[in-house]
Amino acid sequence: MSSSVSSPAAGARGPWAWVPSLYFAQGMPYVVVMTLSVIMYKNLGISNTDIALYTSWLYLPWVIKPLWAPLIEMVGTKRLWIVALQFVVGAALAMVALTLPMERAFQMSLAVFWLMAFASASHDIAADGFYLLALEQHEQAAFVGVRSTFYRVANIGGQGGLVWLAGELHDRGGDWTLAWQGVMAVLAGSFLLLAAYHLWRLPRPATDRAVPPDQRGGSAFLSIFIAFFRKPGILVTLGFLLLYRFPEAQLLKLATPFLLDGVDQGGLALSNQEVGLAYGTIGLVALTLGGLLGGWIISRVGLRRALWPLVLAMHVPNVVFLAMAWSHPGSLAIVSAALAVEQFGYGLGFTAYLMYMVLVAEGPHKTAHYAICTGFMALGMMLPGMWSGWLQDHLGYLHFFAWVLIATIPSLVMTALIRIPNGFGRKAAP
């Protein structure tokens, strides 16, 4: 067989033509389900406790997606799954807009968010598997910052532009329901355009093919899971996947409520537009830059040498939330700068986590094994997020953010226990 056929990216267009848009498309439904929904329900008068509890349950499809990951690996191509699921997400976004004026809008919109979460989780499996099949290992390391960046660009569009748009529509019309209907309609149209783009633009790597029908039996399905749990050091790996984001899982759910709540409630009393600028735009631009730098560092020195600096860069800057809860800075510039520091560090640290999952997924079942890794990552986000609203209600923002700093200890312990091959992720010398 010729090398042009055996290469993972045979016949592929350059990664810049599809990696940014693919991971933007991966990030957008996630940010809608997990972040925009929080702000929307806050604007519609739902309590912090209910928001944190019910939106944390929306993590569940990402937690259990390994259960159907082998199906996506065996049936059809990853390319086909990607395009079909993007059209489903676009339709779900339109359905959210339709539910908001209804009598039981909270319950009905949550049901549609569940549908969107399942479609998005399935899309993640296909997209991540496609990434691993279409790029060589050094390209995966070089582009891990790019994929993280454009995933976060989706966050900028969601937490920044769309939160700002909701605030503007509300200020003009005085109705939060109509404002968020408009936002969801814009999102639906944009996502359908993304699906059409990927139908045209995604490459067709030779390795992206369906498993023959005679190899799709239950034993083949089960063997994929067994192979994952037989990996060396699997208990340490699972502990790391579950606990690396333990502090962030709690912080993330209360970050925007903290920025929006009044000073009498311990918050910073920012408007939607100010949150969109400070957290959703400036903060996420900093996160994007951190992600790009983190990917570049790993491709230059390897994950093993970069690990501890990147881990500390992720967790130490959480102290800015404690500082803001204590001082209540009245300056939007100070708040924006603090959020930029925290998000830049997070961007650096998250690239290490992504590359470790690539390492764990190495082998003949990359798509399914990477999905299992991300399922444990989602479980590590879901469970702490569920109690975070209750905890903040009882502790107040100041003590809650102090607890978040203490919660970094399990993450640091698990980082010390994992083992990474020397040179993994580093671009080989020509």
Side-chain angles (χ1 to χ4, degrees):
M1 183 177 291
S2 69
S3 61
S4 63
V5 176
S6 62
S7 171
R13 296 177 172 95
W16 281 106
W18 59 271
V19 171
S21 59
L22 179 62
Y23 280 90
F24 181 87
Q26 186 181 105
M28 185 55 74
Y30 183 85
V31 76
V32 170
V33 171
M34 302 312 307
T35 302
L36 275 191
S37 65
V38 171
I39 299 173
M40 182 181 78
Y41 290 139
K42 186 70 176 177
N43 290 155
L44 295 176
I46 308 299
S47 71
N48 282 1
T49 298
D50 285 344
I51 290 171
L53 175 61
Y54 291 109
T55 61
S56 289
W57 274 108
L58 294 172
Y59 274 119
L60 187 60
W62 282 277
V63 174
I64 64 176
K65 70 181 181 181
L67 297 178
W68 64 89
L71 178 67
I72 293 177
E73 181 159 25
M74 292 189 293
V75 179
T77 66
K78 314 303 180 293
R79 189 184 193 278
L80 178 61
W81 280 101
I82 287 167
V83 173
L85 289 165
Q86 286 177 4
F87 280 111
V88 171
V89 170
L93 287 163
M95 290 172 63
V96 172
L98 294 175
T99 64
L100 291 181
M102 296 183 179
E103 184 176 349
R104 299 177 67 84
F106 182 49
Q107 294 86 344
M108 296 187 70
S109 60
L110 275 173
V112 180
F113 281 136
W114 267 91
L115 169 64
M116 193 187 308
F118 274 102
S120 179
S122 302
H123 177 272
D124 289 358
I125 298 169
D128 291 336
F130 189 84
Y131 178 88
L132 296 175
L133 292 173
L135 298 177
E136 301 287 355
Q137 187 189 103
H138 75 273
E139 292 177 307
Q140 294 170 20
F143 274 84
V144 71
V146 175
R147 60 180 272 193
S148 177
T149 291
F150 281 88
Y151 188 93
R152 298 302 169 180
V153 168
N155 281 255
I156 295 173
Q159 293 179 213
L162 293 174
V163 171
W164 176 88
L165 177 61
E168 285 294 307
L169 292 175
H170 171 263
D171 290 348
R172 294 182 183 185
D175 188 327
W176 280 118
T177 298
L178 286 175
W180 281 104
Q181 273 192 293
V183 168
M184 292 297 165
V186 169
L187 272 169
S190 300
F191 216 85
L192 292 173
L193 289 175
L194 268 174
Y197 173 79
H198 288 131
L199 179 62
W200 165 63
R201 195 60 177 166
L202 283 181
R204 300 177 186 270
T207 48
D208 183 21
R209 56 182 180 269
V211 173
D214 60 348
Q215 299 179 25
R216 298 180 188 173
S219 59
F221 195 95
L222 185 61
S223 68
I224 294 174
F225 288 99
I226 293 173
F228 179 84
F229 289 101
R230 283 181 174 173
K231 288 179 180 287
I234 189 62
L235 292 180
V236 172
T237 294
L238 296 182
F240 180 80
L241 294 175
L242 287 169
L243 295 173
Y244 185 77
R245 302 176 75 187
F246 184 61
E248 181 212 350
Q250 300 170 81
L251 177 66
L252 186 63
K253 281 296 173 187
L254 276 302
T256 48
F258 168 64
L259 299 174
L260 290 167
D261 271 338
V263 175
D264 60 323
Q265 299 171 287
L268 299 187
L270 301 185
S271 67
N272 272 43
Q273 292 91 326
E274 289 172 327
V275 172
L277 174 62
Y279 193 48
T281 303
I282 295 173
L284 285 172
V285 166
L287 186 147
T288 297
L289 295 175
L292 285 172
L293 180 59
W296 179 83
I297 290 171
I298 293 171
S299 71
R300 297 290 293 180
V301 305
L303 179 59
R304 184 173 178 176
R305 287 182 59 191
L307 181 62
W308 274 105
L310 296 181
V311 169
L312 293 175
M314 180 170 180
H315 293 314
V316 172
N318 287 340
V319 72
V320 303
F321 277 95
L322 179 64
M324 288 191 293
W326 176 72
S327 64
H328 291 90
S331 167
L332 182 61
I334 294 175
V335 172
S336 299
L339 293 173
V341 169
E342 186 268 336
Q343 292 286 280
F344 182 76
Y346 174 70
L348 283 167
F350 192 59
T351 57
Y353 192 61
L354 290 174
M355 277 308 296
Y356 182 72
M357 291 195 293
V358 170
L359 170 62
V360 175
E362 283 289 296
H365 305 294
K366 291 182 180 181
T367 298
H369 287 183
Y370 192 90
I372 293 172
C373 289
T374 60
F376 279 102
M377 175 183 71
L379 182 62
M381 293 293 288
M382 173 183 163
L383 296 178
M386 290 175 68
W387 71 60
S388 61
W390 175 87
L391 191 62
Q392 182 275 320
D393 278 342
H394 285 75
L395 295 180
Y397 283 115
L398 181 64
H399 293 113
F400 173 76
F401 291 132
W403 158 250
V404 167
L405 293 177
I406 297 171
T408 63
I409 294 173
S411 175
L412 299 178
V413 169
M414 295 314 303
T415 299
L417 294 177
I418 62 172
R419 296 293 177 262
I420 299 169
N422 191 34
F424 176 78
R426 185 175 62 210
K427 183 176 181 179

